């Protein structure tokens, strides 16, 4: 492979949505010969002006390069876009968000068609692509050889973190982080709702929330250590019995402020179940087992 020479690897990119377009611009800027295809051809026009070769069909696009990257809406759209296309000798990198199971099935599907396969989970939004300082990166899993062969091309848009030969691992890591993010934003949404009708500016609460989330974030390491040791009760600073009692204050405050507690209730119910099962002296780690 030629990633480590002055010749930049030719790349085919399928999908020119917000993310695909950002990826395309970065690869063009980095000097990679780029062939693009999008179901709706108009989205390719600006990239053509920037130097991309626009393929009329996905088949034509795949034929243009050994390294083929898909960044489509979902796994079903990958199957539709590549249906019936010859993949022999291709290196298929799927940056479409998938479940771990979908990624493993897609890997088998690609291998059955003669391609090497690498799945990717993008931990960035489009404006972060191509900006190293933004801190975005992509989890990769699947063929280590493919990853090593094309590493410099893969690292042009964002950092590249390889997490294993199991094709499902990139999606597993991606979705684990996205799920944590979902819970975090649920909490932030509730917090802003609490102050909505008060004389507190959202812009004044924002930095307090950011600092608090940062400070609490380090608890993740403690949870990991407890899960690995199986010891959920030593040196517990905030035990479950205390936290469940504290939840009642959170709920009364929501009631006073006229805010629906619907984002908090499921997590609080889980805490109560663990407490009722006799685990009041633990911290919150036991909720992982309960799930
Ligand atoms: N944008 C983001 O913030 C997130 C960041 C993290 C990673 N995600 C994932 O990246 C994949 C692509 O996301 P996107 O932002 O580019 O999404 P859209 O702008 O909605 O573009 C979707 C493209 O998929 C094409 N497409 C949809 N269905 C089909 C199909 N059946 N056959 C062929 N192509 C299809 C669509 O084509 P068109 O509508 O323009 O014709 C777009 O090119 C995604 O997995 C995110 O979860 C982004």
């Amino acid at each position: 492979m030629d990633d480590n020479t002055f010749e930049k690897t030719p790349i085919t990119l399928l999908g020119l949505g917000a993310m695909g377009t950002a990826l395309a611009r970065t690869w063009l800027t980095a000097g990679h010969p780029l062939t693009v295809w999008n179901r709706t051809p108009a989205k390719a026009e600006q990239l053509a002006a920037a130097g991309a070769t626009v393929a009329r069909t996905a088949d034509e696009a795949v034929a243009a390069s050994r390294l083929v990257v898909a960044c489509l809406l979902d796994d079903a759209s990958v199957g539709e876009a590549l249906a019936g296309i010859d993949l022999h000798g291709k290196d298929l990198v799927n940056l479409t968000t998938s479940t771990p199971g979908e990624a493993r099935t897609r890997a088998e599907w690609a291998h059955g068609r003669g391609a090497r396969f690498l799945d990717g989970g993008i931990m960035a939004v489009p404006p972060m692509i191509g900006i190293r300082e933004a801190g975005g990166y992509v989890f990769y899993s699947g063929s280590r050889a493919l990853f090593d062969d094309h590493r410099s091309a893969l690292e042009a848009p964002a950092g590249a973190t390889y997490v294993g030969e199991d094709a499902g691992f990139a999606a597993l890591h991606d979705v684990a982080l996205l799920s944590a993010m979902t819970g975090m934003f649920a909490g932030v949404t509730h917090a802003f709702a609490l102050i909505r009708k008060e004389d507190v500016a959202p812009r004044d609460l924002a930095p307090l929330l950011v600092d608090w989330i940062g400070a609490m974030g380090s608890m993740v390491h403690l949870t990991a250590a407890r899960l690995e040791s199986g010891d959920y009760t030593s040196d517990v600073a905030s035990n479950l019995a205390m936290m469940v009692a504290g939840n009642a204050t959170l709920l009364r405050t929501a009631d006073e402020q006229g805010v629906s507690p619907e984002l908090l209730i499921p997590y609080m119910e889980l805490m109560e179940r663990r407490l009722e099962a006799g685990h009041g002296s633990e911290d919150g780690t036991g909720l992982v087992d309960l799930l």
Side-chain angles (χ1 to χ4, degrees):
M1 238 43 62
D2 56 9
D3 269 12
N4 296 321
T5 73
F6 292 109
E7 292 288 315
K8 296 282 186 165
T9 305
I11 302 172
T12 282
L13 175 63
L14 308 174
L16 298 175
M19 183 54 78
T21 299
L23 294 170
R25 291 200 177 286
T26 313
W27 278 318
L28 286 171
T29 302
H32 289 272
L34 184 69
T35 302
V36 296
W37 172 83
N38 195 61
R39 180 180 61 178
T40 306
K43 288 188 186 168
E45 283 167 12
Q46 288 191 345
L47 290 168
T53 300
V54 180
R56 282 166 301 160
T57 64
D59 205 347
E60 188 181 304
V62 168
S65 321
R66 172 168 185 159
L67 177 56
V68 177
V69 179
C71 188
L72 299 167
L73 187 63
D74 54 17
D75 179 66
S77 53
V78 176
E80 279 178 40
L82 290 172
I85 294 179
D86 183 16
L87 295 177
H88 279 94
K90 299 296 174 182
D91 287 339
L92 179 61
V93 179
N94 187 16
L95 297 183
T96 306
T97 304
S98 311
T99 70
E102 287 168 349
R104 288 171 182 138
T105 303
R106 187 60 60 200
E108 290 304 311
W109 174 93
H111 296 155
R113 283 160 180 74
R116 296 195 295 184
F117 183 83
L118 191 67
D119 194 66
I122 304 175
M123 306 311 300
V125 292
M128 294 164 75
I129 297 299
I131 299 172
R132 189 68 36 183
E133 315 81 69
Y137 65 95
V138 180
F139 284 121
Y140 286 102
S141 68
S143 169
R144 175 85 216 194
L146 191 169
F147 179 76
D148 289 341
D149 286 345
H150 295 300
R151 188 166 189 155
S152 69
L154 297 175
E155 283 181 335
T161 301
Y162 182 80
V163 288
E165 289 277 350
D166 183 330
F169 271 20
L172 186 63
H173 285 73
D174 181 10
V175 174
L177 268 59
L178 292 178
S179 299
M181 181 187 77
T182 300
M184 180 192 75
F185 281 131
V188 168
T189 300
H190 185 86
F192 276 121
L194 286 178
I195 64 144
R196 194 78 177 116
K197 292 179 191 156
E198 302 279 1
D199 189 17
V200 178
R203 68 174 169 275
D204 290 337
L205 188 69
L208 302 174
L209 282 172
V210 169
D211 287 353
W212 181 241
I213 290 168
M216 289 296 102
S218 62
M219 300 292 287
V220 169
H221 295 295
L222 188 58
T223 303
R226 289 196 189 283
L227 286 170
E228 289 181 11
S229 70
D231 177 0
Y232 299 175
T233 53
S234 298
D235 303 320
V236 168
S238 307
N239 69 48
L240 200 57
M242 178 281 294
M243 288 193 283
V244 169
N247 285 347
T249 309
L250 269 58
L251 293 176
R252 287 201 309 278
T253 303
D255 189 47
E256 282 178 15
Q257 300 301 103
V259 172
S260 165
E262 63 197 293
L263 292 175
L264 303 183
I265 293 292
Y267 189 70
M268 290 179 172
E269 286 179 349
L270 209 60
M271 295 168 84
E272 280 166 30
R273 272 167 56 199
R274 187 73 180 171
L275 177 64
E276 284 161 12
H279 299 282
S281 60
E282 293 179 359
D283 67 356
T285 306
L287 303 189
V288 178
D289 293 350
L290 204 52
L291 280 183

Short mmCIF file of all heavy atoms in Angstrom, two decimals, residues 15-20 37-40 43 71-73 77 80 96-97 122 124-126, ligand 1:
data_model
loop_
_atom_site.label_atom_id
_atom_site.label_comp_id
_atom_site.label_asym_id
_atom_site.label_seq_id
_atom_site.Cartn_x
_atom_site.Cartn_y
_atom_site.Cartn_z
N GLY A 15 -21.46 8.58 -0.09
CA GLY A 15 -22.26 9.32 0.88
C GLY A 15 -21.73 10.72 1.11
O GLY A 15 -20.61 10.90 1.61
N LEU A 16 -22.53 11.69 0.71
CA LEU A 16 -22.11 13.10 0.86
C LEU A 16 -23.14 13.87 1.67
O LEU A 16 -23.60 14.95 1.28
CB LEU A 16 -21.93 13.73 -0.53
CG LEU A 16 -20.84 13.08 -1.39
CD1 LEU A 16 -20.82 13.71 -2.79
CD2 LEU A 16 -19.47 13.19 -0.73
N GLY A 17 -23.52 13.29 2.81
CA GLY A 17 -24.32 14.04 3.77
C GLY A 17 -23.40 15.01 4.49
O GLY A 17 -22.29 15.32 4.02
N ALA A 18 -23.85 15.50 5.64
CA ALA A 18 -23.04 16.48 6.39
C ALA A 18 -21.66 15.90 6.74
O ALA A 18 -20.63 16.56 6.55
CB ALA A 18 -23.79 16.88 7.65
N MET A 19 -21.64 14.65 7.21
CA MET A 19 -20.37 14.05 7.61
C MET A 19 -19.53 13.67 6.39
O MET A 19 -18.32 13.92 6.34
CB MET A 19 -20.63 12.84 8.51
CG MET A 19 -19.38 12.19 9.05
SD MET A 19 -18.26 13.32 9.92
CE MET A 19 -19.07 13.49 11.51
N GLY A 20 -20.16 13.05 5.40
CA GLY A 20 -19.43 12.63 4.21
C GLY A 20 -18.78 13.83 3.52
O GLY A 20 -17.62 13.75 3.08
N TRP A 37 -19.48 9.51 -4.63
CA TRP A 37 -20.82 9.18 -5.14
C TRP A 37 -21.84 9.49 -4.07
O TRP A 37 -21.59 9.25 -2.89
CB TRP A 37 -20.92 7.69 -5.50
CG TRP A 37 -22.34 7.30 -5.85
CD1 TRP A 37 -22.97 7.46 -7.05
CD2 TRP A 37 -23.32 6.73 -4.96
NE1 TRP A 37 -24.27 7.02 -6.98
CE2 TRP A 37 -24.51 6.56 -5.70
CE3 TRP A 37 -23.31 6.34 -3.62
CZ2 TRP A 37 -25.69 6.03 -5.14
CZ3 TRP A 37 -24.47 5.81 -3.06
CH2 TRP A 37 -25.64 5.65 -3.82
N ASN A 38 -22.96 10.07 -4.49
CA ASN A 38 -24.07 10.28 -3.57
C ASN A 38 -25.36 9.95 -4.30
O ASN A 38 -25.50 10.20 -5.50
CB ASN A 38 -24.10 11.74 -3.09
CG ASN A 38 -25.00 11.90 -1.88
OD1 ASN A 38 -24.75 11.28 -0.84
ND2 ASN A 38 -26.05 12.70 -2.00
N ARG A 39 -26.31 9.37 -3.56
CA ARG A 39 -27.60 8.98 -4.15
C ARG A 39 -28.25 10.18 -4.83
O ARG A 39 -28.78 10.08 -5.93
CB ARG A 39 -28.50 8.41 -3.05
CG ARG A 39 -29.86 7.99 -3.53
CD ARG A 39 -30.68 7.45 -2.39
NE ARG A 39 -30.91 8.46 -1.34
CZ ARG A 39 -31.64 8.26 -0.26
NH1 ARG A 39 -32.20 7.08 -0.05
NH2 ARG A 39 -31.80 9.22 0.65
N THR A 40 -28.18 11.35 -4.16
CA THR A 40 -28.70 12.58 -4.76
C THR A 40 -27.50 13.33 -5.36
O THR A 40 -26.69 13.92 -4.62
CB THR A 40 -29.38 13.45 -3.67
OG1 THR A 40 -30.37 12.66 -3.01
CG2 THR A 40 -30.02 14.68 -4.27
N LYS A 43 -25.53 16.95 -4.49
CA LYS A 43 -24.65 17.20 -3.34
C LYS A 43 -23.17 17.07 -3.68
O LYS A 43 -22.31 17.45 -2.89
CB LYS A 43 -24.99 16.24 -2.19
CG LYS A 43 -26.31 16.58 -1.51
CD LYS A 43 -26.51 15.72 -0.26
CE LYS A 43 -27.88 15.96 0.32
NZ LYS A 43 -28.23 14.97 1.35
N CYS A 71 -20.07 6.39 4.13
CA CYS A 71 -20.56 7.20 5.25
C CYS A 71 -22.00 7.56 4.94
O CYS A 71 -22.31 8.64 4.44
CB CYS A 71 -19.69 8.44 5.46
SG CYS A 71 -20.14 9.34 6.97
N LEU A 72 -22.87 6.59 5.19
CA LEU A 72 -24.27 6.71 4.81
C LEU A 72 -25.13 6.79 6.07
O LEU A 72 -24.63 6.75 7.20
CB LEU A 72 -24.67 5.53 3.93
CG LEU A 72 -23.87 5.45 2.61
CD1 LEU A 72 -24.07 4.12 1.92
CD2 LEU A 72 -24.24 6.61 1.69
N LEU A 73 -26.42 6.89 5.86
CA LEU A 73 -27.33 7.15 6.98
C LEU A 73 -27.31 6.04 8.03
O LEU A 73 -27.18 6.29 9.22
CB LEU A 73 -28.75 7.34 6.43
CG LEU A 73 -29.80 7.77 7.44
CD1 LEU A 73 -29.47 9.14 8.01
CD2 LEU A 73 -31.17 7.78 6.79
N SER A 77 -28.84 1.47 4.51
CA SER A 77 -28.48 2.24 3.32
C SER A 77 -27.15 1.76 2.73
O SER A 77 -26.94 1.84 1.52
CB SER A 77 -28.45 3.75 3.60
OG SER A 77 -27.64 4.06 4.70
N GLU A 80 -28.10 -1.20 0.68
CA GLU A 80 -28.76 -0.77 -0.56
C GLU A 80 -27.76 -0.20 -1.56
O GLU A 80 -27.78 -0.52 -2.74
CB GLU A 80 -29.82 0.29 -0.25
CG GLU A 80 -31.13 -0.29 0.25
CD GLU A 80 -32.14 0.80 0.58
OE1 GLU A 80 -32.22 1.79 -0.16
OE2 GLU A 80 -32.82 0.64 1.60
N THR A 96 -20.41 4.45 8.69
CA THR A 96 -21.83 4.62 8.99
C THR A 96 -22.10 4.11 10.41
O THR A 96 -21.64 3.02 10.76
CB THR A 96 -22.64 3.78 7.99
OG1 THR A 96 -22.24 4.16 6.66
CG2 THR A 96 -24.12 3.95 8.18
N THR A 97 -22.83 4.87 11.20
CA THR A 97 -23.13 4.42 12.56
C THR A 97 -23.98 3.15 12.51
O THR A 97 -25.01 3.11 11.84
CB THR A 97 -23.88 5.51 13.36
OG1 THR A 97 -23.09 6.70 13.34
CG2 THR A 97 -24.11 5.07 14.80
N ILE A 122 -17.60 7.25 14.44
CA ILE A 122 -17.04 8.61 14.44
C ILE A 122 -17.41 9.35 15.73
O ILE A 122 -18.59 9.59 15.99
CB ILE A 122 -17.54 9.42 13.22
CG1 ILE A 122 -17.21 8.69 11.92
CG2 ILE A 122 -16.93 10.83 13.22
CD1 ILE A 122 -17.79 9.37 10.67
N ALA A 124 -17.13 12.53 16.57
CA ALA A 124 -16.96 13.94 16.19
C ALA A 124 -18.20 14.37 15.44
O ALA A 124 -18.93 13.53 14.91
CB ALA A 124 -15.74 14.10 15.28
N VAL A 125 -18.43 15.67 15.41
CA VAL A 125 -19.49 16.21 14.55
C VAL A 125 -18.79 16.86 13.36
O VAL A 125 -17.58 17.15 13.42
CB VAL A 125 -20.38 17.22 15.32
CG1 VAL A 125 -21.20 16.49 16.38
CG2 VAL A 125 -19.57 18.33 15.95
N PRO A 126 -19.52 17.10 12.25
CA PRO A 126 -18.85 17.56 11.03
C PRO A 126 -17.90 18.75 11.19
O PRO A 126 -16.80 18.72 10.61
CB PRO A 126 -20.02 17.85 10.08
CG PRO A 126 -21.07 16.85 10.49
CD PRO A 126 -20.96 16.78 11.99
N1 LIG B 1 -23.55 14.40 11.51
C1 LIG B 1 -23.23 14.05 12.74
O1 LIG B 1 -23.21 14.87 13.66
C2 LIG B 1 -22.89 12.61 13.13
C3 LIG B 1 -21.57 12.54 13.85
C4 LIG B 1 -21.19 11.12 14.22
C5 LIG B 1 -21.31 10.17 13.03
N2 LIG B 1 -22.61 10.33 12.39
C6 LIG B 1 -22.94 9.26 11.45
O2 LIG B 1 -22.37 9.48 10.16
C7 LIG B 1 -23.23 8.89 9.17
C8 LIG B 1 -23.56 9.95 8.13
O3 LIG B 1 -24.10 11.08 8.80
P1 LIG B 1 -24.42 12.42 8.04
O4 LIG B 1 -24.35 13.52 9.04
O5 LIG B 1 -23.60 12.56 6.83
O6 LIG B 1 -25.96 12.15 7.65
P2 LIG B 1 -26.86 12.86 6.54
O7 LIG B 1 -26.44 14.27 6.36
O8 LIG B 1 -28.26 12.61 6.95
O9 LIG B 1 -26.52 12.07 5.20
C9 LIG B 1 -26.96 10.75 5.00
C10 LIG B 1 -26.31 10.20 3.75
O10 LIG B 1 -26.80 8.86 3.53
C11 LIG B 1 -27.35 8.82 2.19
N3 LIG B 1 -28.37 7.80 2.14
C12 LIG B 1 -29.42 7.64 2.97
N4 LIG B 1 -30.13 6.56 2.62
C13 LIG B 1 -29.54 6.03 1.54
C14 LIG B 1 -29.80 4.90 0.72
N5 LIG B 1 -30.84 4.11 0.95
N6 LIG B 1 -28.96 4.63 -0.31
C15 LIG B 1 -27.89 5.45 -0.56
N7 LIG B 1 -27.59 6.54 0.17
C16 LIG B 1 -28.40 6.82 1.21
C17 LIG B 1 -27.83 10.20 1.93
O11 LIG B 1 -28.01 10.37 0.53
P3 LIG B 1 -28.98 11.51 -0.04
O12 LIG B 1 -30.18 11.60 0.91
O13 LIG B 1 -28.20 12.78 -0.06
O14 LIG B 1 -29.39 11.03 -1.37
C18 LIG B 1 -26.68 11.02 2.50
O15 LIG B 1 -25.58 11.02 1.63
C19 LIG B 1 -24.49 8.41 9.91
O16 LIG B 1 -24.40 7.01 10.10
C20 LIG B 1 -24.42 9.15 11.23
O17 LIG B 1 -25.04 8.42 12.29
C21 LIG B 1 -22.90 11.69 11.93
#
